[in-house]
Amino acid sequence: MRTSLALAVSAALVAGTALGLAPAALAADTAGSLRFVDIAGDGGTVLKANVVTPAGADSTARHPLIVLPTSWAVPQVEYLAQAQKLADSGYVVVSYNSRGFWQSGGEIETAGPRDIADASKVIDWALANTPADPAHVGMAGVSYGAGISLLAAAHDPRIKAVAALSGWADLIESIYSGRTQHLQAAALLGGAGYLTGRPGPELQEILGDFLSSNLAKEEDMIAWGRKRSAVEQLDRINANGAAIMLGNAWGDTIFPPNQYASFYEKLTGPKRLEFRPGDHATAEATGLLGLPNDTWTSAHRWFDHYLKGVDNGVDREQPVRLKPRSDAPYEGYADWKSLDANRRKFGLGGTQRIWANVDSGADGGVVMLSNLLDQFFQAPPVASIPLLPRAFAGVWQSERYDNPQRVRGTVKVHTTVSSTDESGTFVAYLYDVGPLGVGKLVSNAPYTFHGRTPGQPFGVDLELFSTAYDVPAGHRLALVVDTVDPLYIEHNPTGAQLTFSSPAADPSYVSVPLRSE
């Protein structure tokens, strides 16, 4: 696990450096419109920033403004390539390093109140020091920048449009879904924060309690996360009415797509939801390097319509736009709940008992790496389903399908569990199984329980991470459960056993959402 975490942290930092250096190389071409500035954030904290203005812009005309907070642990030059593209089409763009990172002052607040106040201070500065139009203000960002942008839209009514890419709307559902700590995600964020910034005492305490499984502080950790979740500010966001575009990757191992989809359905203003193959921030990465990129193209169109009034049709398109994890084209839907219209179940019959604390060989891969391979090579994590040791893994399979099964949306698992201990963890995996028994991972999700009576069965409803995956004809689906996955912290005492059953009065099943042909 240390090796996989080290690889993930190294990959993230190398990627961050590359994304920082590559746009910096464009500075020579933007010398007439690019300048680096210091902006006083909340409490006077210095935020290192850069400003790109349209060529020839002066005080005689106003231009729409876009503010870009940087991603977690990435330098302030992260967005220069996109900023120049936006400036070329008439925007004033201000990008700034979030407080606590790199040369910006202060400590890392993790999208806390000071970060949100900083966003408004940057808007204030831009309106006072650039030819920005106060009536046409937008915010955008990747990852950390996305989370800050959504929260800022709840507190600053001047923000009229947002493009939140690879971000979170619910921090608890992102890294603590199923009441399970997402170990690699939290360790990656924490490690990158210490290497590139200055975590504040609150963040240090939260990280320590989270990674040490300090259940005595669980309520405090949840309260801390809710304060930093846009879903908790939904009424403010809807009241302010900003046009919000959400984009994410199916395999995002830091901010899984479910929480974005749920948040999207609750928005009442202009909105758009886009999901594509990849892992955290990989769907936007080529655009940060200045290369053609679908996500950034959509973001530009979104701002052009809602900040500049361009009639480009973005408001008349199907607002939910999905790219399957295959060579299939984009698909449009009227809303997210449309994906639930056609569901097919297969039963989880019989009783299966497994020993805890042993990795069966089924797992969700490595944060930031495994789903990147799936994005570019359609090579998700695999497992030989017939060879999984049944002492440590429960396995159920559907019938072999005569026709392709186009999985779209959120797979749901219902089962009955009992344990020999009051606490425990299991991870459910859905595999696409070919004729030779090799399973390709379709989705997964963890589940943890505490305070249960040993030996007493209880029902579990678990949503796997949303996806869009095409199961070929002649294949079948398999649900696998085991108790150890390097992605997550598990809570199974040594020697514990979990039993999965299907009572006649409450049968266990997997419900799979399928695209209606």
Side-chain angles (χ1 to χ4, degrees), residues 23 38 40 46 51 162 174 184 237 250 265 315 372 376 390 420 445 451 476:
D38 290 349
V46 173
V51 184
V162 172
S174 293
Q184 289 189 14
I237 292 172
W250 292 118
E265 284 292 275
D315 57 321
L372 184 66
F376 289 105
R390 296 318 197 251
T420 57
R476 66 179 76 211

Side-chain angles (χ1 to χ4, degrees), residues 325 363-364 371 374 377-385 429-435 437-444 467 469-472 475-480:
R325 291 162 50 194
D363 65 59
N371 291 309
D374 186 41
F377 305 108
Q378 296 176 29
V382 298
S384 175
I385 305 304
Y429 309 89
L430 188 70
Y431 284 99
D432 159 26
V433 184
V438 176
K440 294 183 176 181
L441 186 64
V442 177
S443 186
N444 77 98
T467 193
Y469 184 97
D470 295 337
V471 180
H475 288 212
R476 66 179 76 211
L477 288 170
L479 184 79
V480 176

Side-chain angles (χ1 to χ4, degrees), residues 220-467:
D220 292 340
M221 290 186 283
I222 289 174
W224 179 87
R226 284 177 175 164
K227 187 186 296 185
R228 290 157 171 80
S229 297
V231 70
E232 299 293 327
Q233 303 290 325
L234 191 65
D235 290 345
R236 284 173 170 264
I237 292 172
N238 285 334
N240 288 342
I244 294 179
M245 171 186 158
L246 304 171
N248 206 353
W250 292 118
D252 194 320
T253 43
I254 295 180
F255 304 130
N258 302 46
Q259 45 93 30
Y260 248 15
S262 175
F263 177 70
Y264 169 84
E265 284 292 275
K266 298 170 185 174
L267 293 170
T268 58
K271 58 184 180 179
R272 186 177 181 92
L273 178 68
E274 299 188 354
F275 287 146
R276 298 175 174 83
D279 206 312
H280 183 64
T282 63
E284 301 85 20
T286 55
L288 294 175
L289 298 173
L291 302 174
N293 180 275
D294 288 352
T295 305
W296 283 103
T297 297
S298 289
H300 285 233
R301 293 181 66 229
W302 191 251
F303 286 130
D304 284 350
H305 180 74
Y306 287 103
L307 294 184
K308 294 170 65 178
V310 176
D311 185 13
N312 54 17
V314 73
D315 57 321
R316 297 187 294 275
E317 298 170 355
Q318 296 276 60
V320 176
R321 191 165 179 254
L322 311 180
K323 174 71 172 70
R325 291 162 50 194
S326 65
D327 293 329
Y330 283 93
E331 302 168 358
Y333 297 86
D335 48 34
W336 179 256
K337 62 180 178 286
S338 298
L339 278 67
D340 272 340
N342 180 34
R343 283 189 169 270
R344 184 172 185 172
K345 293 181 179 180
F346 69 89
L348 306 177
T351 297
Q352 298 197 35
R353 181 175 292 108
I354 61 175
W355 290 94
N357 303 117
V358 177
D359 192 339
S360 70
D363 65 59
V366 177
V367 64
M368 294 291 293
L369 298 178
S370 297
N371 291 309
L372 184 66
L373 295 175
D374 186 41
Q375 176 182 354
F376 289 105
F377 305 108
Q378 296 176 29
V382 298
S384 175
I385 305 304
L387 296 181
L388 291 175
R390 296 318 197 251
F392 310 118
V395 180
W396 299 263
Q397 297 192 72
S398 72
E399 76 274 15
R400 185 172 283 109
Y401 299 115
D402 294 331
N403 301 306
Q405 305 294 295
R406 307 191 189 284
V407 181
R408 299 290 185 273
T410 307
V411 175
K412 299 178 181 180
V413 176
H414 175 74
T415 188
T416 296
V417 182
S418 63
S419 173
T420 57
D421 199 273
E422 59 93 22
S423 293
T425 299
F426 68 87
V427 184
Y429 309 89
L430 188 70
Y431 284 99
D432 159 26
V433 184
L436 299 179
V438 176
K440 294 183 176 181
L441 186 64
V442 177
S443 186
N444 77 98
Y447 184 89
T448 293
F449 56 89
H450 297 288
R452 293 290 179 176
T453 302
Q456 181 67 46
F458 59 93
V460 171
D461 288 292
L462 177 63
E463 292 189 349
L464 305 190
F465 301 135
S466 302
T467 193

